[in-house]
Amino acid sequence: MKKNLGVVPAVYPMPVLMVAAYDENGKVNVMNAAWGMICDMDKIALFISENHKTTQNILKTKALTVAIADKAHMDVADFFGIASGNKMADKFERTGYKASKSEFVNAPVIEEFPVTMECTLADVVNNDHMYCIVAKIENVKADESVLSDNGKIDPSKLNALIFDQFQHGYYVTGEKVGMAWDAGKDLMKK
């Protein structure tokens, strides 16, 4: 029997994304964003608040990077979500992490996170229902340690963090249980 829970953001899993941008002086800021998703083959949508320091930086520089947080860096990923760049001037520096300038866009690549999308600002959707940054992916950079033999990202090596909206936990991805466009094809024969 199902129980009514009321209005709950009941989507699981949610990615744990590290969104980074430079400010007007070239200073790095990073935020943790769980409300993001791919919205086209070369675009990502980030449903983040307009008042975030990182959002304001993106609007000024028209560039950003989006990294996938992993289990090995969960503590810093969480810190990037609970500390505000508007209130903590040394937020990035406190972590001891390193950033390098992207070769493709005017935004920082945080070296510790294994997969990074280097993006330019494509659109801002601002209406009564949402504030959304839409970014065009110009390049994806990945550590060799998370690549499979075919040169693609291997989710079983990535240990990507996922966020649980229900209990506010972090989990990791890992077990492969089937193949897309294959698991349901027997039903096509009916």
Side-chain angles (χ1 to χ4, degrees), residues 104-179:
F104 296 87
V105 301
N106 181 28
V109 174
I110 310 309
E111 296 299 327
E112 288 75 7
F113 296 114
V115 176
T116 303
M117 292 167 270
E118 300 162 286
C119 307
T120 52
L121 179 62
D123 199 4
V124 176
V125 179
N126 185 7
N127 60 43
D128 291 342
H129 305 288
M130 75 175 88
Y131 188 88
C132 177
I133 297 287
V134 179
K136 182 177 185 299
I137 302 167
E138 305 292 348
N139 183 57
V140 175
K141 187 177 298 269
D143 289 345
E144 289 183 20
S145 65
V146 300
L147 300 179
S148 63
D149 292 339
N150 66 4
K152 294 182 179 181
I153 296 166
D154 183 340
S156 68
K157 294 179 179 182
L158 185 56
N159 287 315
L161 286 180
I162 50 179
F163 176 64
D164 145 37
Q165 287 279 123
F166 309 111
Q167 303 289 330
H168 301 138
Y170 289 122
Y171 297 82
V172 293
T173 60
E175 181 185 1
K176 182 178 182 178
V177 296
M179 289 295 293

Side-chain angles (χ1 to χ4, degrees), residues 34 46 58 64-65 71 77 79 90 116 129 137 148 150 173-174 182:
L46 302 168
I58 293 166
L64 62 148
T65 58
K71 181 180 177 182
F79 170 74
D90 65 342
T116 303
H129 305 288
I137 302 167
S148 63
N150 66 4
T173 60
D182 182 68

Side-chain angles (χ1 to χ4, degrees), residues 3-22:
K3 180 180 176 184
N4 291 326
L5 299 178
V7 178
V8 177
V11 173
Y12 176 83
M14 301 286 288
V16 179
L17 304 171
M18 300 294 102
V19 182
Y22 291 125

Side-chain angles (χ1 to χ4, degrees), residues 21-74:
Y22 291 125
D23 71 7
E24 59 276 0
N25 299 313
K27 184 174 175 57
V28 176
N29 195 53
V30 186
M31 69 174 285
N32 179 324
W35 293 36
M37 62 185 293
I38 294 296
C39 61
D40 200 347
M41 290 302 291
D42 66 344
K43 291 180 189 65
I44 185 167
L46 302 168
F47 302 93
I48 56 180
S49 171
E50 185 177 9
N51 63 358
H52 286 297
K53 175 76 171 154
T54 305
T55 305
Q56 290 304 307
N57 292 344
I58 293 166
L59 296 174
K60 290 174 188 168
T61 64
K62 311 289 189 234
L64 62 148
T65 58
V66 181
I68 297 174
D70 63 337
K71 181 180 177 182
H73 303 98
M74 179 177 61

